[in-house]
């Protein structure tokens, strides 16, 4: 399994390309960067699926363009599929200066449900709190893509629409901190970290 990161310098949003290096089939996680940048970074990787961790504008800005350009199917939680239709919740009006309505997801994963593509196994872990639609995605039991749920020594904010402090802290403690310490954490902004490191050194949520 290989991981490429495409960072949007304006929003500091990380878009991830995850793929099987043998079959060259890949996932794009949180398309907050231009389609040109994503496709260029993907190279000969076929983008078959798009995953969104939650609904906010900086993570879905180029979602529909990427779907159209690649024919990729969108994977998300049930609530995220609903929230991307509502510009008030996705904050596209305030964040992008225009309301953006996205089409519903092609594939809905429930909490704990797994999805397989070649040698890649993906487990969906619902982690509401930053928004009510947040979900993290664990690839091959080793690499966790968390969106804005958890950051290096920090966590996501909860003062935006559908956010809740108690729910977010519970999601991190009861879901993410239950994973193996050596699981690598890839956040929606900033540098990667690990579950074990955050349990010890996170400023907001300690184990």
């Amino acid at each position: 399994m290989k991981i490429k990161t495409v960072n949007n310098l304006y929003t500091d949003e990380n878009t991830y390309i995850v793929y099987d290096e043998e079959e060259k089939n890949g996932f794009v996680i949180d398309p907050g960067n231009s389609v040109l940048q994503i496709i260029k970074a993907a190279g000969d990787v076929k983008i078959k699926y798009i995953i969104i961790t939650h609904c906010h504008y900086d993570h879905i800005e180029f979602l529909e363009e990427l779907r159209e350009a690649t024919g990729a199917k969108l994977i998300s939680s049930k609530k995220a599929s609903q929230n991307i239709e509502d510009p008030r919740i996705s904050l596209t009006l305030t964040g992008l200066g225009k309301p953006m309505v996205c089409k519903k997801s092609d594939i809905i994963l429930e909490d704990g449900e797994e999805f397989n593509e070649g040698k890649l196994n993906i487990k969906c872990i619902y982690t509401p709190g930053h928004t009510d639609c947040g979900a993290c995605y664990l690839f091959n039991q080793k690499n966790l893509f968390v969106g804005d749920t958890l950051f290096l020594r920090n966590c996501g904010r909860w003062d935006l629409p559908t956010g809740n402090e108690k729910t977010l802290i519970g999601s991190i403690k009861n879901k993410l901190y239950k994973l193996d310490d050596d699981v690598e954490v890839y956040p929606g902004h900033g540098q990667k970290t690990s579950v074990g490191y955050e349990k010890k050194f996170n400023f907001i949520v300690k184990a």
Side-chain angles (χ1 to χ4, degrees):
M1 189 181 96
K2 292 288 186 180
I3 301 169
K4 294 183 178 181
T5 306
V6 185
N7 180 262
N8 185 323
L9 296 179
Y10 181 70
T11 60
D12 191 33
E13 190 270 348
N14 295 322
T15 295
Y16 296 103
I17 302 167
V18 185
Y19 63 98
D20 172 31
E21 53 192 321
E22 292 183 9
E23 298 183 359
K24 298 290 186 180
N25 291 327
F27 294 74
V28 169
I29 302 174
D30 288 348
N33 282 268
S34 74
V35 173
L36 182 62
Q37 286 180 301
I38 293 172
I39 290 178
K40 181 179 179 181
D44 60 351
V45 174
K46 177 177 174 54
I47 300 170
K48 293 189 67 175
Y49 301 97
I50 302 166
I51 293 176
I52 55 170
T53 58
H54 65 293
C55 63
H56 283 157
Y57 76 94
D58 51 334
H59 295 258
I60 66 167
E61 182 175 357
F62 298 95
L63 171 58
E64 290 305 322
E65 290 181 40
L66 188 63
R67 291 172 90 173
E68 184 176 349
T70 63
K73 293 183 178 180
L74 176 60
I75 298 173
S76 78
S77 68
K78 182 177 181 180
K79 195 65 178 178
S81 181
Q82 299 169 353
N83 285 354
I84 58 176
E85 293 185 306
D86 190 337
R88 295 169 301 174
I89 296 177
S90 66
L91 304 175
T92 57
L93 180 58
T94 53
L96 302 177
K98 59 181 180 181
M100 187 173 91
V101 176
C102 298
K103 295 181 292 185
K104 285 184 176 294
S105 301
D106 302 291
I107 299 170
I108 300 296
L109 294 183
E110 299 295 337
D111 185 28
E113 187 174 359
E114 297 185 14
F115 182 87
N116 293 289
E117 169 60 41
K119 295 182 178 180
L120 300 179
N121 170 264
I122 301 94
K123 182 178 182 179
C124 177
I125 303 171
Y126 276 23
T127 52
H130 174 61
T131 67
D132 64 358
C133 69
C136 301
Y137 295 87
L138 180 63
F139 277 68
N140 290 356
Q141 303 298 316
K142 297 179 179 179
N143 301 283
L144 183 68
F145 297 87
V146 296
D148 289 358
T149 296
L150 186 65
F151 300 125
L152 176 65
R153 298 189 296 273
N154 208 332
C155 69
R157 57 192 292 185
W158 50 76
D159 60 333
L160 298 172
T162 77
N164 182 280
E165 177 183 4
K166 184 178 179 180
T167 302
L168 178 61
I169 291 173
S171 290
I172 295 170
K173 282 188 173 183
N174 300 324
K175 295 286 190 71
L176 302 188
Y177 284 0
K178 300 297 184 183
L179 299 173
D180 292 340
D181 285 353
D182 62 353
V183 169
E184 293 192 326
V185 174
Y186 293 81
H189 305 271
Q191 301 174 29
K192 76 174 184 177
T193 180
S194 71
V195 169
Y197 183 89
E198 294 310 314
K199 286 165 66 175
K200 291 181 179 180
F201 301 113
N202 193 284
F203 295 140
I204 311 298
V205 187
K206 288 185 171 60

